Amino acid sequence: MSIELIVIGKTDSQEVAALVALYARRVNHYCRFAVTVLPDVRNTRSMTARQQCAAEGEAILRQLTEGDCVVLLDERGEQMRSVEFAYWLQKRLNSGMKRLVFVIGGPYGFSDEVYARADAKLSLSRMTFSHQIVRAIFAEQIYRAFTILRNEPYHHE
């Protein structure tokens, strides 16, 4: 199985980009992992938030294939502890699916079409984070999940 993290827009922070790259390299020791950065929607000043979500949603949906398991990182998603997320991930790894796709949307969330396509929603916290910093936090959580599953000393409980 491969895991893909789809994000909207490049990060403007070299430090955040470096953290995402670090954890992407680490996750690739366990399974194929890729980060796909979709371009920011242009001319957003003349768009409503709903229009921007729709444009981002179209770009996201173009990246998905029929057999993908799509998981949105969404404030209304299920919250889990790291160990619970590790076991949740293990179930998907054991299911035989080919590709698990996590999606971090833009600043206004997702379009109705993307919500309809999603198989699950996860929330990292009830707190609000920038959609850029969430990339680093979530990439680290994927790495942490693999170390938990392999009983490696990275995670302390």
Side-chain angles (χ1 to χ4, degrees), residues 11 17 23 28 31 33 35 52 62-63 69 74-75 82 84 92 100 116 121-122 131-132 139 144 146 155 157:
T11 181
Y23 289 112
N28 267 297
C31 78
F33 179 71
V35 178
Q52 187 173 336
R62 281 194 297 271
Q63 298 297 311
C69 177
D74 185 82
E75 63 188 8
S82 294
E84 294 167 333
R92 270 97 201 137
L100 177 58
K121 293 184 292 188
L122 295 178
H131 64 283
Q132 293 187 18
R144 181 177 297 273
F146 278 107
H155 179 74
E157 185 88 353

Side-chain angles (χ1 to χ4, degrees), residues 100-115:
L100 177 58
V101 180
F102 293 99
V103 185
I104 299 172
Y108 301 111
F110 300 102
S111 66
D112 292 340
E113 293 78 12
V114 172
Y115 279 118

Side-chain angles (χ1 to χ4, degrees), residues 16-87:
V16 171
L19 277 174
V20 172
L22 169 72
Y23 289 112
R25 281 191 306 276
R26 289 182 179 187
V27 173
N28 267 297
H29 292 290
Y30 303 101
C31 78
R32 212 165 355 139
F33 179 71
V35 178
T36 300
V37 179
L38 303 179
D40 280 313
V41 174
R42 296 178 190 256
N43 302 320
T44 56
R45 291 183 195 264
S46 62
M47 294 180 163
T48 65
R50 190 173 182 89
Q51 289 170 324
Q52 187 173 336
C53 281
E56 291 169 350
E58 290 172 13
I60 291 166
L61 292 171
R62 281 194 297 271
Q63 298 297 311
L64 304 176
T65 61
E66 190 175 316
D68 292 344
C69 177
V70 179
V71 182
L72 306 180
L73 272 69
D74 185 82
E75 63 188 8
R76 293 172 301 244
E78 179 181 0
Q79 292 184 15
M80 298 180 208
R81 295 177 55 250
S82 294
V83 171
E84 294 167 333
F85 175 66
Y87 293 128

